[in-house]
């Protein structure tokens, strides 16, 4: 009742962004009374009777009598909480983008319609597509653009689009929460191998689609080179008359090639590589010397050996073997020893 008959503008102190009192000429009520139109304004600062300030959405609607403006109806809606939530969301999004930009992995995010809204610098580096060439575009078009020439078919594009749209609607799909590798055709015609993980992010009106991309090309090339090297080594070992051994002195793990068992008349699976098995096969006369050498390797006081000793065959006879070995030490960047291995070979010298 205290408000009836009062002047709203004078009593309720609408303020500008900097806190200054809003002039009557700038007030929505004044504009409605002046032109007879409905006026709206978003997030106007409003000083309440207790001195606190809230943000309100205003709608000023004309009151007409016989075609003449005789007043205005002003509707206020407190949007302070909504604006605070929107500000918190913007801050959260800014933090996310900041983190994404620091990531070595490529990160992308779409909205509920599938349009790209995040494309970090690592994604640009991996794919060769800058963010300004991708943002706002449907993600299925971008994926199709990065596919290999063999996959550039209308059917492929249709399939990618259908799968992504289904995931955006349901949060489910064959790619979701899985890491898989695929070949990527960069904009500069380079072909890379990437590991991709895709997941759906629930929102109020569906799902966002996020993915993390890692370039694993060099790792796969290294694995391929290692596999080929191992194949060459195995072929060389099969052709060699010597038996190779490799003893990890830190882990006490021993490997010897199949040729070692064959020298002594065994099948490879009949002799399990172990230091104990090695010592059990030694001639009693040679055992003390060899045990001393092994212990010196363990203590780190020996780096190589050149020994002749006898080992018992499956038939119970003894054969003379020449054993040569040398340690290889691996250091960490700090200089600390992280691994010591004894590598060597046995040569059968019984007939010499």
């Amino acid at each position: 009742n205290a408000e009836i008959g009062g002047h709203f503008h004078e009593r309720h102190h609408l303020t500008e962004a900097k806190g200054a009192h809003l002039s009557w000429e700038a007030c929505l009520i004044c504009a409605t009374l002046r032109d007879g139109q409905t006026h709206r304004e978003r997030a106007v600062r409003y000083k309440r009777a207790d001195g606190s300030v809230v943000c309100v959405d205003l709608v000023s609607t004309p009151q007409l009598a016989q075609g003449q403006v005789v007043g205005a109806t002003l509707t206020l809606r407190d949007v302070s909480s909504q604006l605070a939530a929107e500000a918190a969301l913007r801050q959260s999004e800014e933090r996310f983008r900041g983190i994404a930009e620091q990531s070595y992995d490529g990160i992308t995010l779409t909205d509920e319609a599938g349009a790209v809204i995040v494309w970090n610098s690592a994604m640009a580096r991996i794919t060769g597509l800058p963010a300004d060439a991708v943002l706002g575009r449907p993600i299925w078009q971008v994926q199709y653009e990065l596919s290999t020439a063999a996959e550039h078919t209308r059917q492929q594009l249709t399939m990618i689009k259908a799968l992504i749209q289904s995931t955006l609607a349901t949060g489910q799909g064959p790619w979701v929460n899985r890491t898989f590798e695929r070949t990527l055709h960069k904009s500069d015609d380079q072909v890379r191998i990437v590991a991709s993980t895709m997941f759906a992010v629930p929102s109020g009106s569906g799902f966002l689609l996020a993915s993390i991309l890692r370039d694993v090309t060099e790792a796969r090339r290294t694995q391929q080179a290692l596999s080929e090297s191992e194949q060459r080594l195995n072929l060389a070992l099969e052709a060699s008359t010597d038996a190779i051994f490799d003893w990890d002195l830190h882990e006490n793990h021993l490997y010897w090639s199949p040729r070692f068992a064959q020298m002594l008349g065994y099948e490879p699976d009949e002799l399990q590589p172990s230091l104990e098995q090695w010592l059990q096969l030694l001639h009693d006369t040679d055992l003390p010397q060899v045990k001393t050498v092994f212990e010196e390797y363990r203590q780190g006081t020996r780096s190589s050996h050149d020994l002749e000793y006898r080992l018992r065959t499956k038939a119970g006879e003894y054969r003379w073997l020449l054993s040569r070995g040398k340690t290889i030490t691996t250091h960490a960047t700090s200089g600390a020893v992280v691994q010591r291995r004894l590598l060597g070979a046995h040569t059968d010298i019984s007939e010499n």
Side-chain angles (χ1 to χ4, degrees), residues 12-295:
H12 290 276
H13 309 295
L14 297 174
T15 63
E16 298 175 346
K18 295 182 179 180
H21 184 66
L22 191 70
S23 67
W24 169 245
E25 290 75 15
C27 179
L28 267 69
I29 299 174
C30 178
T32 297
L33 294 175
R34 185 172 53 245
D35 61 19
Q37 303 295 315
T38 296
H39 292 271
R40 294 178 172 82
E41 191 165 350
R42 167 86 168 149
V44 178
R45 289 167 55 85
Y46 171 65
K47 188 174 183 180
R48 296 171 26 161
D50 62 3
S52 62
V53 177
V54 295
C55 288
V56 296
D57 282 354
L58 298 178
V59 180
S60 178
T61 307
Q63 295 179 359
L64 303 176
Q66 298 180 350
Q68 299 296 317
V69 178
V70 296
T73 299
L74 187 66
T75 304
L76 293 81
R77 184 167 69 93
D78 188 343
V79 294
S80 301
S81 298
Q82 179 183 343
L83 292 176
E86 291 174 355
L89 178 60
R90 285 193 298 272
Q91 186 178 33
S92 176
E93 289 175 346
E94 289 170 0
R95 284 197 296 265
F96 168 75
R97 285 182 168 84
I99 294 171
E101 281 304 306
Q102 300 303 315
S103 173
Y104 182 77
D105 292 334
I107 297 175
T108 184
L109 181 68
T110 76
D111 62 15
E112 294 87 345
V116 178
I117 57 176
V118 172
W119 188 269
N120 73 341
S121 56
M123 187 67 83
R125 170 178 51 79
I126 293 171
T127 64
L129 293 175
D132 57 8
V134 175
L135 292 176
R137 294 176 56 193
I139 188 62
W140 53 83
Q141 289 185 2
V142 179
Q143 286 197 0
Y144 177 74
E145 184 176 327
L146 293 170
S147 60
T148 61
E151 297 171 320
H152 272 195
T153 65
R154 190 67 183 175
Q155 293 82 358
Q156 180 74 5
L157 176 59
T158 302
M159 181 195 72
I160 295 174
K161 180 179 179 180
L163 284 172
I164 291 177
Q165 288 182 330
S166 175
T167 300
L168 291 168
T170 66
Q172 304 294 321
W175 299 330
V176 176
N177 298 327
R178 290 179 54 201
T179 299
F180 58 94
E181 291 187 5
R182 62 188 179 93
T183 302
L184 179 146
H185 189 261
K186 291 182 64 174
S187 58
D188 58 3
D189 290 333
Q190 288 189 52
V191 175
R192 311 294 291 179
I193 302 171
V194 295
S196 177
T197 304
M198 186 177 295
F199 48 96
V201 181
S203 71
S205 56
F207 292 89
L208 311 179
L209 196 59
S211 65
I212 299 175
L213 202 70
R214 175 170 294 182
D215 190 335
V216 296
T217 307
E218 300 308 322
R220 296 299 168 264
R221 287 175 178 169
T222 300
Q223 289 178 349
Q224 179 65 26
L226 178 60
S227 176
E228 293 174 354
S229 177
E230 289 176 346
Q231 291 176 7
R232 289 193 294 268
L233 176 60
N234 289 333
L235 290 173
L237 291 177
E238 290 175 6
S240 174
T241 58
D242 289 347
I244 307 301
F245 62 86
D246 181 352
W247 180 15
D248 186 329
L249 296 164
H250 274 192
E251 301 294 333
N252 196 29
H253 176 74
L254 178 65
Y255 163 83
W256 58 53
S257 64
R259 176 63 183 153
F260 180 73
Q262 294 166 356
M263 279 182 174
L264 303 176
Y266 291 92
E267 293 298 322
D269 58 359
E270 291 184 288
L271 285 182
Q272 296 303 314
S274 71
L275 192 60
E276 292 74 17
Q277 179 74 83
W278 196 342
L279 294 174
Q280 287 174 9
L281 295 172
L282 276 164
H283 192 283
D284 290 343
T285 305
D286 303 323
L287 182 59
Q289 178 191 18
V290 176
K291 288 182 69 174
T292 298
V293 170
F294 285 175
E295 186 60 31

